[in-house]
């Protein structure tokens, strides 16, 4: 037999099929060790065939098979090929998407444990051998126990019993199960009329994709769970994707409560061993539901009956390393292959998705009401310019302070949201206007009061705080802007007895970092939660009745055609945390731009109004979804090398441009807005073209490799910095 093998080296020169001789223990999708050049390499078997175009004496033999079962199933092998073709990346890179990283590096393996039970034969036991008697009795009751546990309990008596044949042992594989303690009772609701309609529509529609547009608290999760149960009942599997940040204890316990062992969780907060075992449980078919962030779309399951993408508008669904896939595209291919439905859910769908639904490409379901007709929290727009005029120099408006006081007095909880972490946003010299920047990045530093240092939010570098300006020697150093640390400090002054938690990148590092803070807040160990975007996502805290949004304007002025959309989503999402149970919720939205149409629509929860306005703007300005923005990035540490790569890339792109000029609205090369990040110079060729423009040709340009320079394509990048 002949195996067609892709070598697991991500380089265009070896990105082709190599034929090897193999035995009949080899199947497509398995990993194999093969002789390659003068050394050994790992490869993926793509196909088994009878004959090779090469004469048999030229072919080498596979050394070893690494998997008993194919690591990558047939569907996923096909998918990997499509991904490589679409994003022009080596097959090795797209195949790697389908394996847990720890499997490739070989750093984790299976764990085994030895178990002991009675053999059924009872050799005579010496009178007085009490430990032996107790051990036998224990096993009679338990049936079986881990050997290590027995040894701890009965010490050397265990060895005696093994030696005389009373106990037999057996080594078996055990799975590390994350969050095993999470998962309460089965909380199953009777569906509301709206939920029943939504479920019915997905079941009966002949469209592959359904958009579930339901306001926050409308009960979308219950719809997903019902549809997942449908899939299981039909003997199928399911994929449930959520933004990483929404993988909360509440989410786990809902899923575990309903589906028990059938759920496998894939997410970056798990240990390598746990992640590997969860992946294995899916591959072996022990688990049927893959839950996780975007990479779970590559779950090793077959016979998929449903794919759900919750919070479909979330930016984390676009990959930020090669291949820069879009999760929806992959999910759609899998849905098509398996003939199953793909459900997208959001309270604030992306403009692009909503347009496709409106135009009939996707089924559209709307759930405009909260469960039990609970009202959406009222939003109070506060003009911060007036506060400043009145002499209020704190980050909090008078209205917010009063409402916060009432909220705390009633024993309720509050969330304060702002977009910046750290203490202050920028450190500026008042004498010369110099803004202190990172040495590796062209980015202003942020002061962090707890560590008393300046940090770069792009590369993490730390600097000592300044006593004098490095440019002019002046000593009037000014800390501008407000960050989460400063807000916590100010709140402590205003409400000395309140307990306050902070949630941002600085407080959530480490395994289960988010989880701990969210759990503390859910367990009411704090009254106020201060945080960045992380607090905005799907959390369900029943006691939160007040949400304060301190700097809604921040994201409005982001250099991105989607900044309006982002702001609308953010405000709606954060506001949606308020008043989810008994008491009615309130939201205070502070702004320096109270006339802004985006904020006005958000304050009214008027998605339709927002959409109508936004799609008008996009059309008039020729922004996506009407066109495609394509950016080719060229980055490297050496400026000369980077520039010469840029020249070569630009030339090739220019040829494409010349051949398809009518497809382009814009074509230019320039510095990226941030000229350097992590010591790497950044240049870009920015293009705007019709959606049917020559995308493949542009990708092809990036296939050529440059020494020490990285070249990659971004489609409609979410961040143009
Ligand atoms: P969404 O995901 O749309 O924001 P959730 O799914 O979190 O909303 O539901 C909001 C709340 O309503 C949750 O506390 C959930 O347990 C509850 N809920 C959902 N469906 C029902 C139902 N049919 N009956 C009663 N309560 C429900
Ligand atoms: Zn930096």
């Amino acid at each position: 037999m002949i195996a067609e093998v892709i070598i697991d080296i991500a380089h265009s020169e070896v990105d082709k099929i190599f034929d090897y001789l193999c035995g009949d223990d080899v199947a497509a999708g398995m990993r194999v060790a093969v002789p390659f050049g003068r050394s050994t390499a790992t490869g993926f078997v793509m196909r088994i065939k009878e004959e090779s175009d090469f004469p048999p004496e030229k072919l080498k033999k596979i050394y070893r098979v690494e998997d008993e079962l194919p690591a990558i199933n047939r569907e996923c092998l096909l998918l990997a090929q499509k991904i490589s073709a679409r994003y022009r990346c080596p097959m090795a890179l797209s195949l790697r998407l389908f394996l847990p990283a720890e499997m490739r590096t070989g750093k984790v393996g299976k764990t085994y444990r030895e178990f002991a039970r009675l053999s059924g034969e009872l050799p005579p036991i010496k009178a007085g051998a009490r430990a032996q008697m107790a051990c036998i009795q224990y096993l009679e009751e338990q049936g079986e126990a881990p050997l290590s546990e027995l040894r701890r309990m009965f010490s050397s008596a265990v060895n005696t019993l093994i030696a005389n044949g009373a106990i037999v042992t057996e080594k078996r594989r055990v799975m590390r199960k994350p969050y095993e303690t999470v998962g309460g009772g089965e909380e199953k609701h009777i569906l509301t009329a709206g939920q029943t309609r939504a479920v019915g529509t997905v079941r009966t529609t002949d469209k592959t994709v359904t958009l579930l547009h339901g306001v926050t608290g409308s009960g979308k999760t219950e719809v997903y769970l019902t549809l997942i149960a449908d899939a299981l009942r039909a003997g199928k599997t399911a994929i449930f994707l959520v933004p990483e940040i929404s993988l909360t204890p509440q989410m786990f316990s809902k899923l575990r409560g309903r589906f028990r062992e059938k759920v496998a969780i894939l997410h970056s907060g798990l240990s390598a061993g746990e992640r590997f075992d969860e992946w294995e449980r899916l591959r072996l078919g022990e688990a049927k539901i893959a839950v996780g962030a975007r990479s779970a779309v590559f779950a090793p399951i077959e016979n998929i009956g449903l794919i759900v993408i919750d919070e479909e508008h979330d930016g984390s669904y676009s990959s930020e390393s090669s291949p820069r896939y879009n999760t929806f595209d992959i999910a759609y291919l899998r849905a098509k292959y398996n003939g199953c439905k793909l459900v997208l859910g959001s309270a604030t769908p992306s403009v692009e998705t909503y347009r496709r639904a409106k135009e009939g490409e996707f089924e559209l379901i709307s759930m405009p009401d909260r469960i039990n007709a609970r009202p959406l929290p009222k939003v109070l727009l506060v003009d911060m310019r007036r506060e400043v005029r009145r002499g209020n120099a704190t980050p909090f408006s008078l209205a917010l302070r009063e409402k916060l006081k009432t909220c705390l007095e009633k024993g309720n909880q509050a969330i304060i949201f702002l977009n910046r972490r750290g203490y202050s946003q920028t450190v500026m010299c008042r004498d010369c206007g110099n803004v202190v920047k990172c040495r590796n990045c062209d980015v202003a530093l942020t002061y962090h009061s707890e560590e008393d240092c300046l940090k770069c939010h792009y590369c993490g570098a730390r600097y000592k705080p300044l006593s004098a300006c490095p440019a002019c020697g002046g000593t009037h150093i000014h800390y501008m802007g407000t960050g989460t640390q400063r807000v916590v400090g100010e709140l402590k002054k205003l409400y000395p007895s309140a307990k306050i938690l902070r949630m941002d990148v600085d407080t959530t590092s480490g395994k289960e970092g988010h989880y701990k803070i969210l759990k503390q807040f859910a367990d009411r160990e704090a009254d106020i939660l201060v945080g960045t975007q992380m607090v905005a996502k799907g959390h369900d805290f029943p006691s939160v009745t007040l949400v304060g949004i301190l700097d809604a304007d921040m994201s409005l002025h982001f250099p991105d055609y989607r900044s309006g959309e982002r702001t609308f989503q953010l405000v709606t999402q954060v506001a949606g945390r308020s008043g989810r149970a008994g008491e009615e919720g309130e939201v205070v939205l502070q702004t320096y731009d109270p006339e802004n149409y985006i904020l006005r629509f958000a304050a009214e929860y008027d998605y339709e109004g927002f959409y109508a306005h936004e799609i008008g703007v996009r059309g008039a300005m020729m922004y996506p979804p009407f066109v495609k923005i394509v950016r080719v990035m060229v980055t490297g540490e050496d400026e000369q090398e980077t520039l010469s790569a840029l020249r070569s890339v630009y030339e090739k792109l220019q040829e494409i441009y010349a051949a398809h000029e009518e497809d382009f609205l814009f074509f230019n090369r320039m510095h990226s807005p941030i000229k350097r990040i992590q010591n790497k110079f950044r240049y870009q060729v920015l293009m705007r073209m019709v959606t049917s423009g020559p995308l493949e040709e542009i990708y092809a340009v990036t296939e050529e490799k440059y020494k020490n320079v990285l070249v990659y394509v971004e489609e409609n990048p979410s961040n143009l910095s």
Side-chain angles (χ1 to χ4, degrees):
M1 304 285 259
I2 313 287
E4 293 190 344
V5 172
I6 291 281
I7 303 297
D8 190 12
I9 297 173
H11 199 289
S12 51
E13 269 166 38
V14 298
D15 187 30
K16 54 181 170 240
I17 294 284
F18 293 90
D19 284 359
Y20 287 91
L21 292 168
C22 70
D24 54 9
D25 56 336
V26 177
M30 287 179 176
R31 291 170 313 142
V32 288
V34 292
F36 191 70
R38 269 188 226 127
S39 59
T40 306
T42 305
F44 297 93
V45 178
M46 299 301 293
R47 203 162 73 96
I48 300 291
K49 56 188 179 184
E50 297 288 335
E51 276 171 49
S52 171
D53 295 340
F54 294 95
E57 64 275 12
K58 287 247 172 107
L59 294 181
K60 292 182 185 153
K61 272 207 203 97
I62 279 174
Y63 281 145
R64 184 171 73 241
V65 184
E66 307 279 15
D67 303 308
E68 290 157 40
L69 277 173
I72 303 180
N73 67 33
R74 179 197 279 279
E75 180 207 351
C76 294
L77 285 175
L78 270 172
L79 199 49
Q81 279 165 330
K82 286 195 177 152
I83 292 168
S84 278
R86 166 75 170 74
Y87 301 100
R88 295 282 182 142
C89 71
M91 275 300 290
L93 273 190
S94 45
L95 287 164
R96 283 178 197 172
L97 295 169
F98 294 87
L99 298 179
E102 33 281 331
M103 195 160 161
R104 279 188 59 243
T105 52
K107 286 207 187 91
V108 293
K110 302 167 182 175
T111 37
Y112 292 90
R113 211 162 166 193
E114 227 169 331
F115 293 89
R117 60 188 151 74
L118 295 175
S119 66
E121 286 165 35
L122 209 52
I125 291 173
K126 278 205 214 99
R130 278 224 226 101
Q132 290 183 39
M133 290 305 295
C135 181
I136 286 170
Q137 198 184 352
Y138 181 77
L139 282 177
E140 271 168 357
E141 285 161 15
Q142 299 290 319
E144 182 179 79
L147 190 60
S148 56
E149 196 178 298
L150 275 193
R151 288 216 164 101
R152 206 167 46 241
M153 293 169 75
F154 308 106
S155 56
S156 65
V158 178
N159 286 348
T160 316
L161 289 170
I162 293 172
N164 68 21
I167 292 180
V168 288
T169 64
E170 184 193 7
K171 206 169 177 178
R172 275 205 312 266
R173 175 152 187 213
V174 287
M175 296 289 194
R176 290 152 281 205
K177 291 200 185 126
Y179 302 101
E180 199 155 29
T181 52
V182 173
E186 183 158 350
E187 182 204 352
K188 198 168 170 183
H189 299 292
I190 296 166
L191 297 189
T192 62
Q195 287 169 328
T196 308
R197 220 176 313 119
V199 167
T201 306
V202 176
R203 280 179 186 155
T204 53
T205 178
D206 51 10
K207 291 177 182 158
T208 299
V209 183
T210 298
L211 170 62
L212 180 54
H213 175 212
V215 297
T216 56
S218 59
K220 294 187 286 297
T221 313
E222 197 63 38
V223 173
Y224 306 145
L225 298 188
T226 307
L227 291 168
I228 291 174
D230 272 5
L232 294 193
R233 217 171 304 119
K236 300 189 175 184
T237 60
I239 298 180
F240 184 21
L241 303 173
V242 295
E244 181 89 35
I245 200 85
S246 310
L247 285 166
T248 59
Q250 286 146 327
M251 183 64 97
F252 290 137
S253 75
K254 262 188 198 153
L255 286 159
R256 276 274 157 80
R258 190 75 56 90
F259 301 111
R260 310 275 160 202
E261 301 285 289
K262 295 207 180 79
V263 184
I265 286 154
L266 304 168
H267 103 90
S268 63
L270 308 183
S271 72
E274 286 169 344
R275 211 162 32 217
F276 175 67
D277 283 352
E278 288 290 86
W279 184 88
E280 277 271 282
R281 292 204 304 123
L282 287 165
R283 180 170 69 135
L284 298 172
E286 283 174 26
K288 307 266 180 210
I289 309 164
V291 180
R294 68 167 179 257
S295 62
V297 78
F298 302 107
I301 50 176
E302 289 173 16
N303 200 9
I304 302 172
L306 178 75
I307 304 177
V308 175
I309 305 182
D310 190 24
E311 312 279 0
E312 70 81 29
H313 61 275
D314 196 272
S316 70
Y317 286 122
S318 302
S319 163
E320 298 205 325
S321 58
S322 179
R324 286 162 198 269
Y325 64 87
N326 180 339
T327 305
F328 171 84
D329 295 340
I330 310 285
Y332 185 76
L333 288 173
R334 293 201 82 171
K336 277 291 186 192
Y337 182 94
N338 287 277
C340 74
K341 301 283 166 61
L342 169 56
V343 176
L344 313 176
S346 178
T348 52
S350 71
V351 168
E352 184 183 351
T353 301
Y354 201 66
R355 179 161 177 258
R356 291 170 85 170
K358 280 227 149 187
E359 297 199 330
E361 187 184 347
F362 303 161
E363 187 69 50
L364 177 61
I365 305 171
S366 76
M367 300 210 295
D369 303 308
R370 277 190 158 182
I371 292 287
N372 298 332
R374 234 169 258 147
L376 283 161
K378 266 199 217 63
V379 181
L380 178 67
L381 257 171
V382 176
D383 184 350
M384 287 306 279
R385 294 170 308 186
R386 280 182 43 201
E387 300 280 326
V388 174
R389 263 181 256 134
R390 280 193 204 143
N392 176 4
T394 73
F396 317 107
S397 61
L398 211 59
L400 179 56
R401 276 196 298 206
E402 267 163 25
K403 288 188 191 299
L404 204 47
K405 185 161 164 266
T406 319
C407 170
L408 295 174
E409 277 167 4
K410 283 191 183 163
N412 291 328
Q413 288 178 299
I415 293 178
I416 303 291
F417 165 82
L418 75 166
N419 239 326
R420 292 179 208 135
R421 55 193 255 254
Y423 183 83
S424 72
Q425 184 201 13
T426 24
V427 184
M428 195 186 82
C429 169
R430 274 201 166 146
D431 294 332
C432 73
N434 176 41
V435 171
V436 187
K437 289 190 174 178
C438 175
R439 269 179 225 132
N440 314 319
C441 315
D442 182 36
V443 169
L445 297 176
T446 302
Y447 179 63
H448 284 242
S449 58
E450 275 170 15
E451 297 119 302
D452 191 32
C453 73
L454 300 170
K455 268 194 212 172
C456 169
H457 286 183
Y458 275 81
C459 74
R462 292 153 179 265
Y463 301 85
K464 280 206 200 96
L466 301 171
S467 49
C469 171
C472 76
T475 52
H476 297 99
I477 305 290
H478 181 53
Y479 294 95
M480 293 191 316
T482 306
T484 44
Q485 287 186 355
R486 177 154 168 229
V487 165
V488 170
E490 303 264 341
L491 283 172
K492 279 186 180 150
K493 279 188 239 158
L494 289 170
Y495 313 97
S497 60
K499 286 199 237 45
I500 304 169
L501 274 172
R502 195 177 99 222
M503 182 162 166
D504 55 29
V505 176
D506 301 298
T507 60
T508 51
S509 58
K511 192 185 161 194
E512 297 175 24
H514 303 107
Y515 179 106
K516 275 185 217 138
I517 294 180
L518 293 170
K519 182 157 188 337
Q520 275 174 288
F521 194 59
D523 291 346
R524 314 242 12 208
E525 285 168 32
D527 309 301
I528 308 175
L529 176 65
V530 175
T532 53
Q533 339 233 6
M534 292 180 187
V535 302
K537 306 292 165 66
H539 318 306
D540 198 6
F541 303 112
S543 305
V544 171
T545 56
L546 178 65
V547 164
I549 303 173
L550 298 192
D551 57 355
D553 308 357
M554 259 290 280
S555 61
L556 273 178
H557 305 305
F558 211 67
D560 174 4
Y561 69 92
R562 266 175 297 206
S563 60
E565 176 178 344
R566 286 271 156 68
T567 305
F568 183 85
Q569 286 162 351
L570 203 56
V571 170
T572 312
Q573 295 289 337
V574 194
R577 300 313 111 214
S578 184
R580 289 174 73 89
E583 225 169 303
E584 207 173 308
E586 281 184 298
V587 179
V588 176
L589 176 55
Q590 301 187 167
T591 173
Y592 290 89
D593 185 11
E595 303 305 323
N596 185 284
Y597 77 93
I598 297 279
L599 298 182
R600 298 228 149 228
F601 286 128
E604 300 287 328
Y605 299 99
D606 184 3
Y607 181 84
E608 288 291 336
F610 154 76
Y611 174 76
H613 186 115
E614 184 68 20
I615 202 79
V617 172
R618 302 270 182 100
M621 309 284 290
M622 285 314 263
Y623 279 140
F626 299 98
V627 299
K628 194 155 222 157
I629 295 178
V630 181
R631 169 160 90 158
V632 177
M633 286 293 295
V634 181
T635 79
E637 287 193 15
D638 184 288
E639 189 158 28
Q640 286 318 312
E641 280 177 342
T642 313
L643 274 171
S644 95
L646 173 73
R647 265 191 295 276
S648 151
V649 166
Y650 184 71
E651 253 165 47
K652 286 182 208 147
L653 289 173
Q654 225 169 8
E655 278 168 31
I656 301 172
Y657 173 64
H660 304 267
E661 216 176 321
E662 69 289 353
D663 286 347
F664 287 84
L665 292 101
F666 182 87
F667 180 86
N668 207 351
R669 74 176 152 175
M670 58 187 97
H671 253 122
S672 302
I674 299 179
K675 296 192 188 82
R676 217 158 49 108
I677 291 180
Q678 295 191 355
N679 252 334
K680 286 202 171 97
F681 290 92
R682 308 170 80 240
Y683 291 94
Q684 63 186 31
V685 181
L686 198 60
M687 291 161 265
R688 239 194 291 164
M689 60 184 198
V690 297
T691 49
S692 58
L695 194 59
E696 277 192 29
E697 293 179 40
I698 294 171
Y699 270 102
V701 169
T702 64
E703 275 179 312
E704 181 165 340
K705 295 285 171 273
Y706 297 91
K707 207 170 139 237
N708 305 325
V709 179
L710 190 64
V711 180
Y712 59 88
V713 182
E714 291 174 324
E715 294 170 48
N716 294 340
S718 55
N719 183 350
L720 272 180
S721 52

